[in-house]
């Protein structure tokens, strides 16, 4: 048997084996690239959900102010905010494909609650007087809607903290949850300070403040920064609201009034919520950057692996042709 044939029979299986391993590595790298793309998409979809939550929170605040003042406060702002909310909802529903697929139950539940928003708006526009039951109904309806959106965000975030990316997702969810408590604090205080001030209001505000600080403390721990929360507590936004909060809590509930006005409370609480929103947005930007970076890196690695495999295959083919001559 010619030496060329013997050489070919010996070397050819090695080439086939190398080709198999190259194919396997390309398949694995392609899977990593697909996963990285999904990670980047979920990061963007998470951001869309956060936008909806934020806009609904703002609408709740305006709605409570509108109802508790018998339509005298925020009529124009409420109309404008409803447009912003509808825009955020429409954008999110058209964008969150992956999360909707992977968490169908939570997504469908959120959609059903979003569909009830128009009914609540009509109830608010119709008006029935700024009594405590109506105010509480508005707060409860919006809060129930927000809770379903938070549940969707929680399902999407999961509990994995194994990487910087997943730890940041946990931190963002905790900040978002604290922001929801701050929004509820704003609505509760705005409704109760003038119309239904009571001891139970004071207790609820204290509870909401404790829950916010607990969530923010956990967010700082997840971020790996013990200085993050103390830095927040030194901001003007936190200090102003803290002072008003202490004034409300220290007031005599028996006289059913406080030295804090509704505009003061809404302005201060809104500034605090905006600060938390900014912190949430910073983490969102980091998440999108990390996800896009991962997608680009895996794409580059996949491209390099494909080119290397093609070069190896071409070299093997050249060797075979030369060996057969």
């Amino acid at each position: 048997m010619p030496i060329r044939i013997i050489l070919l029979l010996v070397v050819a299986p090695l080439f086939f084996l190398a080709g198999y391993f190259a194919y396997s590595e390309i398949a694995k790298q392609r899977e990593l690239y697909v996963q990285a793309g999904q990670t980047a998409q979920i990061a963007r979809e998470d951001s869309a959900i956060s936008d909806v939550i934020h806009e609904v929170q703002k609408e709740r605040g305006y709605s409570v102010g509108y109802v508790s003042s018998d339509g005298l406060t925020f009529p124009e702002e409420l109309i404008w905010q409803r447009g912003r909310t509808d825009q955020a909802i429409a954008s999110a529903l058209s964008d969150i494909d992956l999360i909707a697929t992977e968490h169908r139950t939570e997504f469908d539940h959120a959609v059903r609650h979003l569909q009830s928003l128009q009914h609540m708006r009509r109830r608010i526009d119709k008006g029935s007087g700024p009594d405590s039951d109506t105010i509480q109904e508005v707060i409860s309806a919006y809060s129930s809607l927000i809770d379903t959106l938070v549940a969707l965000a929680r399902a999407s975030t999961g509990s994995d903290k194994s990487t910087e990316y997943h730890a940041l997702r946990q931190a963002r969810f905790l900040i978002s949850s604290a922001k929801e408590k701050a929004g509820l604090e704003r609505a509760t205080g705005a409704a109760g300070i003038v119309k239904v001030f009571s001891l139970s209001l004071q207790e609820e505000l204290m509870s909401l403040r404790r829950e916010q600080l607990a969530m923010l403390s956990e967010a700082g721990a997840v971020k790996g920064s013990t200085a993050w929360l103390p830095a927040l507590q030194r901001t003007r936004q936190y200090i102003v609201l803290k002072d008003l909060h202490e004034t409300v809590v220290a007031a005599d509930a028996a006289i059913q009034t406080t030295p804090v006005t509704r505009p003061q409370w809404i302005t201060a609480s809104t500034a605090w919520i905006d600060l938390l929103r900014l912190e949430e947005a910073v983490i969102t930007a980091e998440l999108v950057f990390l996800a896009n970076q991962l997608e680009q890196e895996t794409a580059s690695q996949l491209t390099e692996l494909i080119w290397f495999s093609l070069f190896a295959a071409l070299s093997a083919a050249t060797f075979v042709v030369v060996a057969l001559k």
Side-chain angles (χ1 to χ4, degrees):
M1 183 178 293
I3 188 66
R4 290 177 300 175
I5 301 300
I6 295 175
L7 183 62
L8 185 61
L9 291 175
V10 172
V11 175
L14 297 178
F15 285 138
F16 283 121
L17 185 61
Y20 170 76
F21 283 119
Y23 174 79
S24 298
E25 285 302 312
I26 290 175
K28 290 178 182 177
Q29 193 62 41
R30 185 179 182 283
E31 179 64 24
L32 290 175
Y33 172 68
V34 171
Q35 291 176 358
Q38 291 176 341
T39 297
Q41 183 175 343
I42 288 176
R44 294 187 290 269
E45 291 182 8
D46 278 340
S47 179
I49 295 173
S50 295
D51 290 343
V52 175
I53 291 174
H54 185 65
E55 298 303 334
V56 175
Q57 286 171 333
K58 289 169 66 176
E59 183 173 326
R60 176 180 59 189
Y62 285 130
S63 296
V64 171
Y66 180 83
V67 172
S68 60
S69 66
D70 201 14
L72 298 178
T73 306
F74 304 133
E76 294 180 0
E77 292 86 345
L78 183 56
I79 294 173
W80 177 82
Q81 181 55 48
R82 286 175 177 177
R84 292 269 302 178
T85 303
D86 290 341
Q87 184 179 12
I89 291 172
S91 177
L93 291 180
S94 64
D95 289 341
I96 53 177
D97 300 327
L98 273 180
I99 292 178
T101 300
E102 295 179 1
H103 307 284
R104 175 57 60 179
T105 300
E106 293 83 358
F107 176 78
D108 289 344
H109 192 42
V111 169
R112 285 194 296 271
H113 274 73
L114 287 171
Q115 291 171 343
S116 69
L117 186 57
Q118 295 300 330
H119 174 70
M120 173 50 60
R121 289 172 175 175
R122 288 192 292 270
R123 292 284 304 276
I124 292 170
D125 293 341
K126 183 178 179 181
S128 57
D131 60 277
S132 59
D133 290 340
T134 302
I135 295 170
Q136 189 56 50
E137 180 185 357
V138 172
I139 294 176
S140 297
Y142 276 100
S143 298
S144 178
L145 168 57
I146 293 170
D147 286 345
T148 64
L149 295 169
V150 170
L152 179 59
R154 181 188 298 111
S156 170
T157 301
S159 58
D160 184 12
K161 304 176 187 176
S162 59
T163 65
E164 179 186 4
Y165 175 81
H166 290 98
L168 283 174
R169 290 189 74 192
Q170 284 289 321
R172 183 179 64 177
F173 174 73
L174 288 165
I175 294 173
S176 179
S177 298
K179 186 164 68 70
E180 164 54 12
K181 296 299 180 182
L184 192 55
E185 179 184 53
R186 174 177 60 186
T188 302
I193 283 173
V194 177
K195 293 293 181 182
V196 289
F197 182 69
S198 64
L199 182 60
S200 62
L201 169 68
Q202 292 173 316
E203 292 173 346
E204 185 171 359
L205 290 178
M206 290 173 63
S207 175
L208 289 169
R209 176 47 56 103
R210 285 194 300 268
E211 290 173 354
Q212 287 177 63
L213 293 178
M215 291 173 180
L216 293 174
S217 177
E218 186 178 353
V222 171
K223 282 164 58 69
S225 174
T226 56
W228 178 72
L229 178 55
L232 274 183
Q233 292 175 307
R234 290 192 295 270
T235 60
R236 177 184 57 82
Q237 295 92 325
Y238 179 86
I239 292 172
V240 170
L241 182 58
K242 177 175 176 288
D243 290 342
L244 292 181
H245 190 276
E246 291 176 350
T247 300
V248 172
V249 171
D252 184 359
I255 63 175
Q256 295 190 329
T257 187
T258 71
V260 176
T261 65
R262 184 188 289 115
Q264 284 178 311
W265 179 264
I266 291 178
T267 299
S269 57
T270 298
W272 168 240
I273 291 169
D274 288 343
L275 179 60
L276 293 180
R277 173 63 171 172
L278 180 60
E279 292 293 328
E280 183 184 32
V282 168
I283 294 182
T284 296
E286 291 183 59
L287 285 169
V288 171
F289 173 78
L290 287 175
N292 289 337
Q293 187 180 49
L294 176 62
E295 186 178 23
Q296 291 172 5
E297 288 176 354
T298 53
S300 177
Q301 292 168 359
L302 177 59
T303 301
E304 290 176 2
L305 183 58
I306 290 174
W307 278 112
F308 176 79
S309 299
L310 289 174
F311 175 77
L314 180 61
S315 299
T318 303
F319 176 83
V320 170
V321 171
V322 171
L324 289 176
K325 285 183 178 180

